């Protein structure tokens, strides 16, 4: 009997070992890539926002961020100066950040946030395997977990800036496991944590509620969950968040759902009413850019061998998430490498598990080969899409015209740039270009150059920043193919020239295309000559 039990334990350990290996490989590769991204200065604005929020939280300035203020409606639409006292909760409500704060406190740095993100996603795959094992064989469960780690919608957002949806797969897979086990205390705990992720994360719970009512016939649980999630979303976006700032109605609704409100500011309740009163517009929005939207769905289905496309449960469990994304305007919601893709992932994978539990004999050799090909294609498409420029050392950013920055050039420039950044005092106020913001974001006053060079202090007095630092080299590399970098380079040079003419700032360092200016300090003659030569070459290049 003891021998039989020992064999059973050994067998169980053997079935678990591959998925743990897959999780370690996933976490290790992501950690290496994000470490390189961080060191080579490819982290961008959102990484700086969240690092500043966490850093301010450590110092008792709860959810304050001058960088987040730079994205507020007051600054963007009314031309106000960013404020150090602005609370990010007016744009996105993320109380779950307080759970990650003790880990961030161990090493307060932007890279720590990336480590937290990787850990959350890697852990989600392990819970997914446990969830699959409730009804599926070890082999099939392993295939689903590996497909999760190989999905573009998982890898893409993970290989980018820290984002607020990153706990959703872990929380929702735990919630689905609670459904299978009928652990209702865990179920409601996970539901509450999902609501704390972000104001619109509750949309995923609406889909779960519909599934519980229509497929599980768990009416009271489903209806209670739907009412709780819907009520929380409406209360948060109509009452709580507007108490911090008017960004929900004046910026977020206008930017994402303005086509239904006539481009005017509206409360979420008014926006929902406008959407529901225009069924024709809803259909037009869903089917507009149809090839793009179909491609987006295929990207989601591919790592699971298209099973979610034919699984009713998968459609139900991702219904409200997909509806939200399809109704939003702009390119960002339909990018498989951006955080929004995370919303649909848990429902699709749980839906695939439910489908396989009803079709266990479908895993024939031909299906296994097809699944393997699909997963390989998903990985290939992920690499070639160069998610969030994390793979720019490997994949060209543009073919026509050719834009490729070799890794040796990235590392050498990053080393030079960091020597310049080291000259800025840790508590000094600073304006920096996008890719220099994350390493400088552990301070109270930082804004994005050339958009802003002033900030409002805690007394709401307008101040000029003490330092301005701009990475013009980075913009030069990408300007041949990307209009954004080209415009930013021109605007940055123009702004610096104006500052030098008024003598309000002087260039202290100009090294490898990174220029550092200090307030009320003159420019050394030799550096002034370097700057004139640089601008002369830039003007000549733009004419050609």
């Amino acid at each position: 009997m003891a021998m039989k039990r020992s064999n059973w334990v050994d067998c169980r350990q053997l079935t678990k070992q591959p998925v743990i290996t897959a999780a370690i490989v996933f976490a290790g590769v992501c950690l290496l890539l994000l470490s390189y991204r961080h060191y080579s200065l490819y982290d961008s604005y959102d990484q700086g926002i969240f690092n500043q929020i966490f850093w301010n939280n450590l110092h008792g300035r709860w959810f304050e961020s001058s960088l987040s203020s730079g994205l507020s409606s007051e600054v963007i639409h009314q031309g106000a100066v960013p404020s150090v006292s602005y609370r990010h909760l007016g744009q996105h409500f993320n109380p779950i950040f307080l759970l990650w704060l003790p880990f961030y406190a161990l090493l307060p740095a932007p890279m720590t946030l990336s480590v937290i993100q990787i850990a959350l996603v890697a852990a989600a795959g392990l819970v997914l395997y446990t969830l699959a094992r409730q009804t599926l064989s070890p082999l099939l469960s392993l295939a689903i977990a590996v497909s999760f780690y190989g999905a573009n919608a998982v890898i893409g957002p993970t290989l980018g800036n820290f984002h607020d949806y990153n706990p959703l797969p872990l929380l929702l897979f735990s919630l689905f496991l609670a459904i299978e086990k009928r652990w209702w205390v865990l179920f409601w705990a996970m539901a509450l944590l999902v609501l704390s992720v972000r104001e619109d994360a509750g949309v995923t719970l609406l889909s779960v509620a519909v599934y519980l009512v229509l497929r599980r016939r768990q009416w009271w649980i489903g209806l209670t969950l739907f009412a709780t999630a819907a009520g929380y979303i409406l209360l948060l976006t109509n009452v709580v968040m507007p108490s911090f700032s008017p960004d929900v109605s004046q910026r977020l609704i206008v930017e994402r759902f303005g086509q239904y409100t006539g481009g005017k500011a509206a409360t979420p309740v008014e926006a929902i009413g406008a959407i529901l009163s225009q069924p024709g517009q809803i259909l037009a929005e869903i089917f507009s850019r149809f090839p793009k939207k179909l491609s987006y769905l295929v990207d989601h289905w591919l790592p699971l061998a298209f099973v979610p496309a034919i699984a009713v449960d998968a459609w139900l469990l991702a219904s409200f998430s997909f509806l939200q994304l399809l109704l939003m305007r702009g390119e960002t919601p339909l990018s498989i490498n951006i955080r929004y893709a995370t919303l649909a992932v848990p429902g699709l994978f749980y839906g695939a598990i439910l489908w396989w539990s009803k079709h266990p004999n479908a895993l024939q050799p031909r299906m296994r080969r097809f699944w393997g090909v699909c997963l390989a294609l998903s990985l290939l498409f992920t690499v070639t899409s160069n998610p969030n420029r994390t793979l720019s050392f490997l994949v060209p950013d543009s073919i026509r015209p050719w834009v490729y920055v070799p890794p040796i050039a990235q590392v050498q420039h990053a080393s030079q740039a960091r020597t310049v950044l080291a000259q800025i005092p840790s508590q000094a106020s600073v304006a920096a270009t996008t890719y220099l913001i994350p390493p400088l974001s552990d301070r109270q006053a930082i804004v994005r150059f050339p958009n802003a060079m002033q900030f409002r202090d805690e007394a709401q007095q307008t101040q000029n920043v003490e330092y301005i630092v701009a990475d013009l080299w980075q913009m030069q590399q990408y300007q041949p193919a990307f209009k954004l970098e080209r415009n930013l380079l021109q605007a940055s040079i123009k702004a610096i020239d104006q500052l030098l003419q008024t003598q309000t700032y002087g260039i202290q360092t100009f090294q490898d295309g990174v220029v550092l200016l200090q307030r009320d300090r003159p420019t050394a003659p030799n550096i002034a000559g370097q700057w004139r030569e640089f601008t002369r070459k830039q003007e000549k290049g733009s004419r050609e």
Side-chain angles (χ1 to χ4, degrees):
M1 188 73 169
M3 180 64 71
K4 288 183 178 179
R5 179 172 177 80
S6 176
N7 290 340
W8 179 81
V9 172
D10 291 343
C11 180
R12 188 174 180 182
Q13 290 174 345
L14 286 174
T15 59
K16 286 185 176 180
Q17 185 177 358
V19 73
I20 294 174
T21 301
I24 292 173
V25 170
F26 172 84
V29 171
C30 288
L31 183 60
L32 286 173
L33 291 174
L34 286 181
S35 295
Y36 180 85
R37 183 178 193 263
H38 171 72
Y39 179 78
S40 59
L41 299 178
Y42 275 75
D43 289 344
S44 56
Y45 198 71
D46 281 1
Q47 191 83 7
I49 288 178
F50 290 121
N51 184 66
Q52 189 186 37
I53 290 172
F54 275 81
W55 186 84
N56 272 329
N57 284 349
L58 282 182
H59 293 79
R61 295 184 286 268
W62 301 105
F63 293 92
E64 292 182 358
S65 172
S66 61
L67 292 170
S68 188
S69 177
L71 298 179
S72 66
S73 60
E74 185 182 22
V75 172
I76 292 177
H77 299 307
Q78 300 172 27
V81 174
S83 171
V84 300
S85 301
Y86 176 88
R87 295 191 189 274
H88 177 77
L89 299 174
Q91 286 181 34
H92 298 299
F93 201 80
N94 316 110
I96 201 170
F97 285 176
L98 299 179
L99 292 181
W100 321 141
L101 191 59
F103 301 101
Y104 178 83
L106 297 175
L107 183 61
M111 188 60 203
T112 301
L113 296 181
S114 296
V115 173
I116 292 172
Q117 179 159 288
I118 293 169
L120 289 170
V121 179
L126 297 177
V127 176
L128 173 63
Y129 175 81
T130 304
L131 172 62
R133 284 292 293 118
Q134 303 309 303
T135 54
L136 304 181
S137 67
L139 179 61
L140 190 48
S141 300
L142 175 63
I144 289 174
V146 171
S147 297
F148 173 79
Y149 291 129
N152 198 344
V154 174
I155 299 175
T158 304
L159 292 182
N161 297 321
F162 179 87
H163 64 88
D164 34 17
Y165 289 136
N166 56 50
L168 277 181
L170 176 60
L171 298 178
L172 285 167
F173 289 150
S174 300
L175 182 143
F176 297 146
L177 181 61
I179 292 175
E180 294 293 333
K181 292 283 193 178
R182 296 183 177 273
W183 293 342
W184 300 116
V185 173
L186 177 63
F187 173 86
W188 288 111
M190 291 300 103
L192 292 176
L193 285 175
V194 167
L195 293 175
S196 71
V197 168
R198 190 168 132 149
E199 69 281 354
D200 57 350
V203 169
T204 61
L205 295 181
L206 300 180
S207 299
V208 176
V210 171
Y211 163 76
L212 288 173
V213 170
L214 298 182
R215 302 291 283 179
R216 293 266 182 165
R217 296 297 188 266
Q218 292 173 316
W219 295 88
W220 288 112
I221 295 176
L223 292 174
T224 302
L225 180 64
F226 193 97
T228 301
Y232 178 83
I233 293 171
L234 293 175
L235 177 65
L236 205 59
T237 55
N238 287 275
V239 178
V240 178
M241 294 174 66
S243 69
F244 293 101
S245 71
D247 288 306
V248 172
S249 59
Q250 293 186 9
R251 187 175 77 83
L252 301 178
I253 292 294
V254 173
E255 290 178 1
R256 295 305 182 195
F257 302 101
Q259 66 272 40
Y260 306 101
T261 65
K264 299 178 181 178
T267 66
V269 170
E270 292 171 340
I272 292 172
I275 293 171
L276 294 178
S277 66
Q278 303 174 68
Q281 179 68 24
I282 293 175
L283 291 175
E285 193 67 33
I286 290 176
F287 290 101
S288 66
R289 298 176 295 163
F290 184 75
K292 169 73 174 176
K293 293 180 177 178
L294 179 60
S295 174
Y296 179 74
L297 292 175
V298 169
D299 285 337
H300 274 288
W301 298 332
L302 186 60
L304 287 167
F306 291 89
V307 166
I310 60 173
V312 174
D313 292 327
W315 281 104
L316 286 176
L317 288 161
S319 57
F320 279 87
S321 298
F322 275 142
L323 182 62
Q324 178 189 10
L325 296 175
L326 294 176
L327 291 180
M328 293 167 70
R329 65 180 176 183
E331 295 297 321
T332 302
L334 294 178
S335 173
I336 200 69
N337 290 319
I338 302 298
R339 62 185 181 274
Y340 290 108
T342 308
L343 286 167
V345 167
L348 293 179
F349 273 82
Y350 184 42
I353 290 173
L354 295 172
W355 187 90
W356 279 109
S357 67
K358 298 169 185 174
H359 305 84
N361 297 324
L363 194 62
Q364 300 299 322
R366 181 179 297 179
M367 181 61 182
R368 294 181 188 180
R369 290 192 294 271
F370 177 69
W371 196 343
V373 170
C374 288
L375 185 55
L377 287 174
S378 179
L379 289 169
L380 176 62
F381 294 155
T382 302
V383 171
T384 56
S385 68
N386 187 13
N388 305 294
R389 286 185 174 170
T390 302
L391 302 177
S392 286
F393 66 93
L394 179 66
V395 180
D397 285 88
S398 173
I399 304 298
R400 292 184 180 179
W402 180 264
V403 174
Y404 172 67
V405 184
I408 187 65
Q410 294 179 4
V411 171
Q412 288 175 346
H413 174 71
S415 178
Q416 299 263 20
R418 289 184 181 276
T419 62
V420 176
L421 298 182
Q423 300 174 38
I424 303 174
S426 60
Q427 297 300 316
S429 57
V430 61
T433 49
T434 298
Y435 292 96
L436 298 182
I437 282 175
L440 293 170
S441 57
D442 54 348
R443 66 192 67 231
Q444 190 177 13
I446 178 172
V447 294
R448 177 155 53 179
F449 180 83
N451 304 58
M453 287 166 275
Q454 295 179 315
F455 67 95
R456 283 178 289 160
D457 60 21
E458 292 179 312
Q460 295 303 301
Q461 298 297 311
T462 299
Q463 306 281 351
N464 293 324
V465 295
E466 297 170 75
Y467 291 86
I468 295 173
V469 60
D471 188 350
L472 305 179
W473 179 91
Q474 199 272 349
M475 300 176 198
Q476 283 182 301
Q477 306 311 304
Y478 293 100
Q479 67 161 337
F482 301 99
K483 185 178 180 180
L484 175 62
E485 275 78 6
R486 185 161 57 251
N487 291 341
L488 280 174
L489 179 60
Q490 295 171 358
S492 298
I493 293 173
K494 181 179 179 181
I496 292 171
D497 277 336
Q498 291 175 344
L499 293 172
L500 296 178
Q501 290 172 9
T502 59
Q503 298 183 345
T504 51
Y505 290 82
I507 300 178
Q508 304 306 299
T509 304
F510 188 30
Q511 182 174 318
D512 199 31
V514 180
V515 56
L516 175 65
L517 297 92
Q518 186 174 357
R519 189 181 64 197
D520 301 327
R521 291 287 297 273
T523 303
N526 63 318
I527 296 180
Q530 293 178 34
W531 176 254
R532 286 194 296 271
E533 178 65 16
F534 173 82
T535 55
R536 185 188 66 80
K537 290 181 178 179
Q538 186 60 40
E539 289 176 1
K540 181 180 179 182
S542 62
R543 287 195 299 268
E544 294 176 352

